[in-house]
Amino acid sequence: MTAPGARGIRRVAEDALTWVTAHRARFALGEDALTADGRVDGTWKPLGELARVCATVIHRTGPADPLHARAGALLEFAWRQTREGGMFSLLQRLEPFATYPLEVYAAFASAGFRHPAYEEAAAVVARTRGWRLTEQDPTRRLGVLKAEERCGIHRPGQDPAPLPRTWLGGLPEPWTFERAAGYALTHVVFHLTDWGRADDGPPQGLADYLADWLPPWLDTCLDAGMWDLSSELLAVAATLPRPLDDVVPPDAWQRLGAVQDPSGAIREEGHDAGDGETRDETRDPDRYFATHYHSTLLAAFAAVLTTARPAGAPSGTGTRHGRQGAPA
């Protein structure tokens, strides 16, 4: 990765977090966050993704880095939305066998934000057969198990290892890659690498498979204008024990940066760009946010993971910083 390339990738992260900061009020939890018919995808999911990305940005940047300070402020804002973790206890009573509260909480716990009463209650439920037998796809189950680990939950008996039953874990024929498989494989890697916080990358067999096939998959997604999935694949590339130039098409970041709106936002998909983006935000800000927040967050996530690695270095040799002063 050349120095000019690194500066350009850094700019993607800076502009993306600038947009997120300007729109942080839209991540706030509304009254429907604690209702039985509330839209989790429009309440807890965005907040959890904000927390997850910011926790990694903090971990991979130094205290003097402006990105570190910006991510820290966003994470503090997100934690306040949960009433310093108190809302997780309320969710526990309302939906004791829902796994999303623990998954969102684990994002905060990874940055040192803890709520002991919730963790104690969640551990009780996690020891039940009902929790263990909740039906989920293998990728989601892997994420739940990793969330349990992050929250210090240890229960008797072991679940069948979910990794071999995931799409990526089965090392499928590479031509079977498509959108759903792409999102599944990226999340398997995110779970295995603690969302880019771990010093080790994916297991060797998976890393070798990804190193072979990630370049054409990423090139295909960029050609198709799938900017959200492209950002996730770029983040995966940054976790592999190979030089980035071996696994990322040379113009990948240039192509992603070219569709970044002047405000810093990146749409999920599509080739139509320009002034219409700004008009869309003015006409329908709710829809604009819904179709831009995730891809913008993930672009920042991928950019920070990429620039944390020295040029040509394998994963595990990048910058790592512990969070200072986080609540215990």
Side-chain angles (χ1 to χ4, degrees):
M1 181 174 59
T2 65
R7 287 196 296 270
I9 296 169
R10 164 79 184 199
R11 182 64 181 269
V12 169
E14 291 172 347
D15 290 351
L17 285 188
T18 294
W19 183 87
V20 171
T21 299
H23 292 76
R24 75 174 195 174
R26 293 194 171 275
F27 290 92
L29 295 176
E31 295 181 358
D32 57 343
L34 289 176
T35 59
D37 58 349
R39 295 185 309 106
V40 174
D41 284 351
T43 55
W44 289 98
K45 183 174 181 287
L47 190 75
E49 289 166 348
L50 176 66
R52 182 69 72 189
V53 167
C54 288
T56 297
V57 172
I58 289 170
H59 189 75
R60 289 295 176 187
T61 56
D65 190 328
L67 287 179
H68 186 96
R70 182 163 293 172
L74 287 167
L75 191 57
E76 295 277 1
F77 164 81
W79 183 242
R80 290 195 300 272
Q81 293 302 306
T82 72
R83 302 176 194 170
E84 288 71 43
M87 288 183 71
F88 292 107
S89 294
L90 296 175
L91 283 175
Q92 180 75 27
R93 291 195 287 272
L94 290 170
E95 298 183 82
F97 292 98
T99 59
Y100 74 86
L102 184 68
E103 294 170 87
V104 173
Y105 177 81
F108 290 103
S110 68
F113 293 86
R114 312 298 287 253
H115 192 281
Y118 169 68
E119 292 186 14
E120 182 178 351
V124 171
V125 173
R127 288 193 288 268
T128 66
R129 291 189 297 276
W131 176 273
R132 187 179 72 250
L133 298 173
T134 298
E135 296 188 10
Q136 294 169 320
D137 67 68
T139 299
R140 182 72 181 276
R141 174 58 70 179
L142 178 64
V144 172
L145 293 176
K146 292 297 183 180
E148 290 179 12
E149 290 179 12
R150 170 57 62 187
C151 299
I153 294 175
H154 305 285
R155 48 190 172 82
Q158 297 294 321
D159 288 358
L163 178 58
R165 295 181 289 115
T166 65
W167 188 88
L168 177 60
L171 303 180
E173 299 84 354
W175 52 264
T176 63
F177 175 90
E178 41 77 43
R179 182 194 301 267
Y183 280 111
L185 83 85
T186 59
H187 281 70
V188 165
V189 174
F190 297 160
H191 297 322
L192 293 176
T193 62
D194 194 16
W195 286 77
R197 292 165 54 89
D199 288 333
D200 296 329
Q204 188 64 48
L206 297 188
D208 290 343
Y209 175 81
L210 287 168
D212 286 338
W213 298 111
L214 194 63
W217 291 342
L218 180 51
D219 194 52
T220 297
C221 290
L222 290 166
D223 281 345
M226 299 168 66
W227 313 115
D228 187 59
L229 182 53
S230 295
S231 293
E232 294 203 5
L233 293 173
L234 284 167
V236 168
T239 72
L240 299 180
R242 299 284 185 92
L244 285 168
D245 290 344
D246 290 351
V247 291
V248 175
D251 62 345
W253 279 104
Q254 180 181 359
R255 292 158 76 182
L256 183 64
V259 299
Q260 189 168 30
D261 189 74
S263 68
I266 296 177
R267 60 191 178 279
E268 289 182 350
E269 58 184 58
H271 286 289
D272 295 329
D275 294 339
E277 293 262 305
T278 303
R279 290 197 298 271
D280 287 345
E281 182 167 19
T282 302
R283 286 198 300 259
D284 191 349
D286 291 338
R287 185 177 184 280
Y288 186 92
F289 178 79
T291 58
H292 287 71
Y293 85 84
H294 186 265
S295 40
T296 304
L297 279 173
L298 266 294
F301 176 70
V304 167
L305 290 182
T306 299
T307 55
R309 289 174 54 173
S315 67
T317 60
T319 305
R320 180 170 63 90
H321 299 275
R323 174 166 173 78
Q324 301 297 320

